[in-house]
């Protein structure tokens, strides 16, 4: 005779289980998105420090300020590459 396997009570409500699993997946993806954004911000900050460009101020910058800051970094890198 086979040994009895204890039943998992979470299977009593399949819809609830699906909702919980979907929530966990969403949390994992949002965490990963946050980490990717943080890594990207850090890499831009590192590039700016190497070139002697001031970092952006605290808080969320406007799109225009962020774009201008990043453009200044790329421009400085290009000038450095050309030897100016």
């Amino acid at each position: 005779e086979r040994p009895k396997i204890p039943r998992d009570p979470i299977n009593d409500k399949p819809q609830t289980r699906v909702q919980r699993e979907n929530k966990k997946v969403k949390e994992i993806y949002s965490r990963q998105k946050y980490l990717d954004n943080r890594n990207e911000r850090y890499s831009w900050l590192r590039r700016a420090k190497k070139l002697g460009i001031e970092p952006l101020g605290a808080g969320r910058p406007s799109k225009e300020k962020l774009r201008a800051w990043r453009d200044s970094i790329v421009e400085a890198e290009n000038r450095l590459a050309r030897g100016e």
Side-chain angles (χ1 to χ4, degrees), residues 18-80:
V18 168
Q19 288 172 349
R20 282 188 190 140
E21 288 174 354
N22 288 343
K23 187 175 181 180
K24 285 181 184 178
V25 168
K26 186 177 178 181
E27 288 171 359
I28 290 170
Y29 275 103
S30 64
R31 173 81 176 147
Q32 188 60 47
K33 184 178 175 183
Y34 163 75
L35 292 174
D36 291 342
N37 287 338
R38 186 177 67 176
N39 289 342
E40 183 181 359
R41 288 191 310 267
Y42 178 66
S43 68
W44 277 103
L45 181 64
R46 219 175 32 209
R47 287 167 69 177
K49 283 184 178 179
K50 282 182 183 177
L51 298 167
I53 296 174
E54 286 291 317
L56 286 172
R60 182 176 179 171
S62 66
K63 283 187 178 181
E64 191 55 40
K65 281 186 181 178
L66 182 62
R67 187 179 297 122
W69 183 71
R70 287 183 175 178
D71 287 345
S72 69
I73 293 172
V74 172
E75 188 179 317
E77 287 174 338
N78 289 338
R79 275 187 307 215
L80 189 66

